[in-house]
Structures are given as structure tokens and as C-alpha cells.
Amino acid sequence: QMAAKFILEDAGRWSDSLSSGPPQHLAPAVRLRGYGTWMPLRGLGTNGFEEDRLLDAASRYIKAGGRLLDTGLLYGNHRDIASAVARSGLPRESLFLSSKIPPGRMGFNEAQEAIEQMLVELDTEYLDLVLIHWPAMFNDDPPPACAR
């Protein structure tokens, strides 16, 4: 309920493009240095949401004025998010999409492949933010090259 309250307060404050600069009444956001993009400080985390449940939640969130959608490859819901974004009718640049690289894919080549998979599944040409999901390994495999 608290998240919904903040999102509703923010509704209508976003410009058509998060890269065009802060409008006069911008909802809470930070500017990412070197990129000129504004990142909303409030977003919808989508872990545990899939299919109709995700489509409904993301569609309501976007309709209420929310603009940051956070996901990860481990969630298995990128295609559902792509559907919600398409249904919104908003231009891609008005949304902020964040996804995460899973722990087992943190090497250079593995991360590159993971990001390419994200782009395909999210049906977008770019992501606004890519994060390392968490720096951990779950098995006895040697760490990726970047961790050696």
C-alpha cells in the first residue's frame, strides 16, 4: 500500500523521455553520471511475478505512473515484462528497465551472452541498467575469469 501511495503521488510527473532531463515536477529520481539518464527512485520489483499476475501488476503500475521495472534473468519473466511494456503504449524511452546477470554468468563472455538474452527476451534495443544479481557461486565450479 505504501508503494502504491508513492507511485500515485508520482503519477503524471514524468516527462515523455527520461533522457531529456528533469521536468519541473519530476518524481524522485537520480541522474546517472555519464549517461544523461534519469533513474526513478521507486520501481516495481518483479521477482515472483509471472504470466497474468505480472502482466496485471506491471500494467497497473505503468498506468498509475510508475516507470522503473526491475527484473533479472533468474526470474524468468522478461517476455511477460515485454508484453506489459508493449501494452502500455508508452515509448520505450519513457520507461527505465533494469535487469540482473545471474551468479553463474559473470565472466566476460557469459555476461555478454546474458545481456544479449535479456535484450531479446525484453524485446528492447537497450537496458537502462544491468546489475550483477549477487556475487556468489552455488556450486564447486571455479569462479569466472573476472573473479580470479
Side-chain angles (χ1 to χ4, degrees):
Q1 290 175 342
M2 184 184 302
K5 175 186 177 285
F6 287 127
I7 292 165
L8 290 172
E9 287 176 2
D10 295 345
R13 296 182 187 172
W14 289 102
S15 69
D16 287 340
S17 172
L18 292 173
S19 62
S20 66
Q24 282 186 313
H25 304 290
L26 180 67
V30 293
R31 188 172 189 153
L32 300 179
R33 293 180 126 189
Y35 298 98
T37 297
W38 290 86
M39 182 178 80
L41 292 179
R42 300 179 186 133
L44 179 68
T46 61
N47 186 23
F49 289 87
E50 293 178 358
E51 300 172 353
D52 291 340
R53 188 169 175 228
L54 174 61
L55 288 169
D56 182 56
S59 295
R60 287 174 185 245
Y61 169 76
I62 293 168
K63 187 174 182 180
R67 294 297 179 261
L68 189 156
L69 295 168
D70 177 68
T71 186
L73 272 177
L74 292 177
Y75 305 168
N77 61 14
H78 283 157
R79 294 190 192 283
D80 297 325
I81 290 173
S83 294
V85 168
R87 285 185 188 183
S88 76
L90 293 173
R92 167 63 183 89
E93 61 271 10
S94 70
L95 297 168
F96 191 97
L97 297 181
S98 170
S99 192
K100 300 172 199 78
I101 299 169
R105 297 178 72 180
M106 290 186 283
F108 181 82
N109 293 330
E110 297 91 342
Q112 184 175 1
E113 291 169 5
I115 293 167
E116 289 171 7
Q117 180 182 346
M118 292 174 197
L119 295 172
V120 168
E121 291 178 0
L122 287 164
D123 193 24
T124 187
E125 294 182 11
Y126 67 97
L127 287 162
D128 297 286
L129 182 65
V130 175
L131 301 166
I132 295 172
H133 206 129
W134 62 83
M137 297 302 290
F138 295 110
N139 52 35
D140 294 328
D141 291 342
C146 65
R148 288 185 224 139

